[in-house]
């Protein structure tokens, strides 16, 4: 069966020896370390003994082969009767063989065992290897030992020394290996102990996490065809932990029929290696028949040497409450969409109604504007006649009847007639201003205001506005009027009548709301070269919350602030600000209740578009 490669990575090849040692350490991890070391020492001694014996047998074989070669060569020489008879030649040849092959001694013995020829000497106790060397008895004279033997004494001192060194090296090597093994084993044991402690801690954390999350764990070993299901997997489906029904069939039979194809397809994708991870949701039936929504997360955790999936692990999570909440939310969303659609329809209908109402309002506004324009024009003609006749009657009465009364009674009647004529003139002028204000408002709102602009020196306009206000000032001797027109004021481009209208309105308001003190008009050049006109009074003032409201249409001051004087239309300041803004200027107010008011007019000098604010 192919080996498993955790995480899909190939395991590096290591030598068989170290792999065996590692396996032995891991398998005998509960045994005492010294016992393992002793067993390894015995194993190394046995291996060393085998190596020593094999080396000794090898040297023995080499020695025998060398001796056989010497005997064969010497026997060939003995076949030559001339050489055999010549002892000097035999000695020379023997010396050469002794030096070349590390031979200690060569002897030729007769068939009776007597030494016929001997060269070299035996030192120590060399091992004698006797090899029969038959020499044929030929007709050649001088045969030394017909039917005798050749004995060779081999020098084994180098062989013994080599074996002794080998034994020493094996002893030292075994000791060194034992020390390395012991140290490595202790290191591996400490690391293994640390890894086991860490693994136990991680397993404990995983167990606590799984208990807290209520997730079930499963594992499928593809190579062995085995399945593992945690206890939570069983209790999630209403079964006792360790239920004998186990494996794929236990789970698959509880999957909803409509979801089984999806589950089978997901399993095939994982087992065929087409997916490393997979998340799927399906329905499963509990033991009591209730259907639950299960979220399955799967991952390939190990592959074989060929890279094919070998183990798949995952979790089961009961997400029925979440699915129920999603369905409830979806229902609410549908209801909300229906309501929104209904509201949208209602708003569209209301919008259409508003469009129609707006159209009607525009028509009514046009009718109102036309009506006001028509009525105002119709009122101006009789008003002009009334004011003209009132002034004419007042002049004729003063010329023909004042001071000519015959009695006190006639004198009082004359004064009443003059007072009535004065009231007619005052109210006529008030009504004329009201009509003019309404006409101006209508023209401003409709964009039909007529502007007769010209570049002027504003001193004359200021002077005319002051003269037009003097009759009102003469009625209240407790109010002092101060006009301060500086000589360096700039020229401006404006409709003179509109500028006069603004100044008269500001002066009338100042005089009307001031019982005593003064009204001051200052005309000067501003810091940016603009025209600055200020109208200051010591009247009742304006509360802070109403400062901006004074410029609204039809705004009226409280009746107690007028001191019995007639109310205006509430359009003067609105029209004045619109006129000033038309020329790129600004109309401001600074006031407080009980401390008077200061109205400031800023108008751009000739050639400028707007004032610098």
């Amino acid at each position: 069966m192919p080996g498993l490669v955790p995480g899909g990575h190939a395991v590096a090849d290591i030598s068989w020896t170290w792999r065996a040692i590692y396996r032995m350490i891991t398998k005998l991890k509960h045994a005492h370390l010294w016992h393992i070391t002793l067993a390894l020492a015995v194993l190394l001694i046995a291996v060393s003994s085998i190596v020593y014996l094999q080396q000794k047998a090898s040297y023995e074989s080499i020695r025998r082969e060398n001796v056989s070669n010497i005997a064969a060569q010497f026997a060939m020489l003995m076949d030559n009767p001339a050489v055999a008879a010549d002892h000097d030649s035999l000695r020379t040849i023997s010396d050469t063989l002794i030096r070349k092959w590390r031979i200690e001694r060569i002897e030729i013995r007769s068939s009776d065992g007597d030494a016929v020829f001997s060269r070299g000497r035996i030192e120590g106790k060399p091992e004698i290897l006797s090899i029969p060397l038959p020499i044929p008895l030929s007709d050649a004279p001088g045969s030394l030992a017909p039917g005798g033997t050749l004995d060779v004494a081999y020098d084994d001192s180098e062989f013994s020394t080599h074996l002794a060194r080998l034994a020493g090296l094996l002893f030292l090597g075994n000791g060194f290996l034992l020390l390395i093994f012991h140290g490595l084993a202790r290191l591996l044991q400490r690391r293994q102990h640390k890894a086991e402690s860490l693994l136990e801690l991680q397993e404990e954390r995983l167990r606590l996490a799984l208990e807290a999350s209520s997730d079930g764990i499963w594992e499928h070993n593809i190579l062995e065809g085995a399945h593992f299901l945690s206890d939570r997997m069983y209790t999630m489906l209403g079964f006792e932990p360790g239920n004998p029904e186990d494996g794929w069939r236990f789970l698959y039979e509880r999957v909803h029929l409509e979801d089984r194809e999806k589950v089978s397809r997901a399993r095939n994708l994982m087992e065929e290696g087409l997916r490393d991870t997979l998340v799927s949701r399906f329905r499963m039936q509990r033991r009591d028949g209730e259907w639950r929504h299960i979220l399955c997360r799967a991952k390939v955790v190990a592959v074989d040497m060929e890279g094919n999936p070998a183990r798949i692990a995952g979790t089961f999570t009961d997400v029925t409450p979440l699915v129920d909440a999603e369905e409830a939310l979806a229902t609410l969303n549908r209801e909300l969409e229906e309501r929104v659609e209904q509201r949208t329809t209602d708003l569209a209908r209301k919008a259409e109604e508003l469009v129609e109402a707006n159209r009607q309002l525009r028509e009514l506004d046009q009718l109102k504007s036309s009506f006001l324009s028509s009525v105002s024009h119709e009122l101006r003609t009789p008003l002009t006649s009334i004011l003209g006749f009132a002034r004419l009657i007042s002049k004729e009465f003063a010329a023909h009847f004042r001071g000519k009364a015959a009695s006190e009674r006639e004198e009082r009647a004359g004064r009443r007639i003059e007072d009535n004529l004065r009231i007619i003139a005052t109210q006529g002028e008030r009504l004329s201003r009201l009509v003019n204000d309404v006409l101006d408002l209508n023209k401003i709102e409709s964009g039909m205001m007529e502007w007769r602009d010209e570049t002027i020196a504003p001193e004359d306009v200021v002077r005319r506005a002051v003269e037009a206000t003097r009759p009102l000032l003469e009625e209240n001797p407790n109010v002092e009027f101060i006009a301060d027109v500086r000589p360096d004021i700039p020229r401006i481009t404006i409709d003179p009548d509109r500028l006069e209208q603004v100044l008269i309105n500001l002066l009338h308001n100042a005089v009307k709301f001031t019982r005593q003190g003064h009204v001051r008009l200052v005309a000067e050049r501003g810091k940016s070269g603009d025209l600055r006109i200020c109208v200051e009074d010591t009247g009742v003032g304006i509360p802070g919350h109403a400062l901006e409201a004074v410029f609204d249409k039809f705004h009226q001051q409280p009746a107690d602030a007028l001191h019995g004087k007639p109310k205006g239309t509430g359009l003067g300041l609105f029209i004045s600000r619109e006129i000033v803004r038309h020329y790129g200027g600004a109309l401001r107010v600074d006031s407080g209740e009980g401390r008077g008011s200061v109205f400031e007019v800023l108008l751009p000098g000739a050639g400028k578009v707007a004032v610098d604010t």
Side-chain angles (χ1 to χ4, degrees), residues 102-170:
R102 301 186 64 83
I103 303 301
E104 186 66 22
R105 189 173 183 80
I106 298 176
E107 285 187 349
I108 300 175
R109 294 181 182 275
S110 64
S111 58
D112 296 333
D114 298 330
V116 178
F117 175 80
S118 177
R119 190 66 177 172
R121 62 187 180 85
I122 301 176
E123 296 179 357
K125 292 182 180 180
E127 182 179 351
I128 303 301
L129 179 60
S130 297
I131 300 177
L133 183 59
I135 298 176
L137 299 176
S138 61
D139 296 336
S143 178
L144 292 179
T149 60
L150 172 66
D151 292 339
V152 177
Y154 194 83
D155 183 6
D156 63 347
S157 59
E158 183 178 0
F159 170 65
S160 300
T161 302
H162 183 77
L163 288 179
R165 290 177 179 175
L166 176 62
L169 290 175
L170 288 174

Side-chain angles (χ1 to χ4, degrees), residues 479-553:
V479 177
E480 179 185 7
F481 179 76
I482 304 170
D484 183 7
V485 181
R486 307 290 170 81
D488 60 341
I489 58 177
R491 295 172 64 84
I492 60 174
T493 300
I494 198 171
D495 183 342
D497 294 336
R498 298 304 172 189
L499 176 59
E500 183 178 351
Q501 180 180 354
V502 171
L503 296 179
I504 290 174
N505 182 65
L506 294 178
L507 290 171
H508 276 197
N509 286 341
V511 173
K512 184 165 57 175
F513 292 104
T514 303
R515 298 181 63 182
Q516 61 182 3
H518 68 268
V519 173
R520 181 192 302 272
L521 183 147
V522 178
E524 62 184 356
R525 178 185 293 271
K527 295 181 179 180
S528 301
D530 304 320
L531 173 63
R532 180 176 180 270
I533 300 175
C534 286
V535 177
E536 175 189 349
D537 65 65
T538 58
V540 295
I542 305 170
H545 65 274
L547 285 179
E548 284 301 318
V550 297
F551 295 106
D552 294 341
K553 289 184 291 186

Side-chain angles (χ1 to χ4, degrees), residues 247-550:
W248 169 255
R249 180 173 298 179
F250 170 74
L251 299 175
Y252 188 74
E253 289 178 351
R254 283 157 183 80
V255 176
H256 197 282
L257 292 176
E258 296 178 357
D259 297 337
R260 289 187 180 182
E261 182 180 356
K262 177 172 64 175
V263 173
S264 298
R265 185 168 59 252
R267 178 185 179 184
N268 293 334
L269 288 174
M270 297 292 290
E271 291 183 352
E272 294 173 3
L274 300 178
R275 294 285 297 273
D276 291 333
T277 60
L278 192 140
V279 179
S280 179
R281 195 177 75 182
F282 46 83
R283 292 163 291 179
M284 296 187 72
Q285 190 177 31
R286 286 173 48 88
R287 188 175 185 178
D288 56 8
E290 180 185 1
W291 289 99
R292 309 294 292 179
H293 292 271
I294 303 298
L295 179 66
C296 175
R297 298 181 179 89
K299 179 179 178 60
V300 175
V301 296
V303 297
D304 58 22
M305 298 300 293
E306 298 177 357
N308 298 319
R311 285 170 51 208
I312 303 174
T315 60
F316 270 22
T317 306
D318 189 348
V319 293
T320 303
L322 180 61
V323 174
D324 293 342
E326 289 177 351
E327 292 177 353
L329 181 60
T331 301
L332 291 176
N333 285 336
R334 286 195 299 270
E335 294 178 356
L336 181 61
E337 289 175 357
E338 292 175 357
R339 292 180 182 179
V340 169
E341 185 177 359
Q342 181 63 35
R343 294 287 178 85
T344 303
T345 303
D346 295 341
L347 288 175
R349 186 175 63 255
K350 294 293 185 182
E352 293 176 357
E353 294 176 357
L354 287 175
V355 170
E356 178 62 23
N358 192 26
R359 185 186 62 79
Q360 294 177 2
L361 286 175
R362 284 197 298 269
E363 292 179 355
L364 291 175
D365 186 64
Q366 291 177 357
L367 290 174
K368 180 262 300 181
S369 299
S370 300
F371 172 76
L372 288 176
S373 178
S374 177
V375 170
S376 298
H377 281 292
E378 292 297 330
L379 287 174
R380 293 181 98 173
T381 301
L383 274 175
T384 303
S385 300
I386 292 172
L387 288 174
F389 280 111
R391 293 190 185 97
L392 180 61
I393 294 172
S394 178
K395 287 182 180 181
E396 290 183 353
F397 183 83
H400 298 289
F401 297 100
R402 182 181 297 170
K404 299 180 180 181
S407 62
E408 182 68 22
R409 180 179 179 183
E410 290 179 355
E411 184 69 24
R412 288 197 300 272
R415 285 198 297 271
R416 282 198 304 274
I417 291 172
E418 286 185 325
D419 290 339
N420 291 336
L421 288 173
R422 192 161 42 252
I423 291 173
I424 291 172
T426 302
Q427 294 301 321
E429 291 175 354
R430 177 170 175 266
L431 184 58
S432 179
R433 288 196 300 272
L434 187 150
V435 171
N436 290 333
D437 288 345
V438 171
L439 285 174
D440 290 341
L441 174 64
N442 186 48
K443 291 177 181 179
I444 290 173
E445 289 182 342
S446 63
M448 298 177 64
M449 191 75 163
E450 295 180 359
W451 308 97
R452 293 183 290 273
D453 297 342
E454 54 183 285
T455 300
I456 62 171
E459 294 92 334
D460 294 338
V461 178
V462 173
R463 191 175 298 107
R464 289 200 303 270
V466 170
E467 292 298 326
T469 311
R470 287 198 182 279
L472 188 61
L473 287 168
E474 292 172 356
E475 295 178 2
N476 190 354
N478 296 324
V479 177
E480 179 185 7
F481 179 76
I482 304 170
D484 183 7
V485 181
R486 307 290 170 81
D488 60 341
I489 58 177
R491 295 172 64 84
I492 60 174
T493 300
I494 198 171
D495 183 342
D497 294 336
R498 298 304 172 189
L499 176 59
E500 183 178 351
Q501 180 180 354
V502 171
L503 296 179
I504 290 174
N505 182 65
L506 294 178
L507 290 171
H508 276 197
N509 286 341
V511 173
K512 184 165 57 175
F513 292 104
T514 303
R515 298 181 63 182
Q516 61 182 3
H518 68 268
V519 173
R520 181 192 302 272
L521 183 147
V522 178
E524 62 184 356
R525 178 185 293 271
K527 295 181 179 180
S528 301
D530 304 320
L531 173 63
R532 180 176 180 270
I533 300 175
C534 286
V535 177
E536 175 189 349
D537 65 65
T538 58
V540 295
I542 305 170
H545 65 274
L547 285 179
E548 284 301 318
V550 297

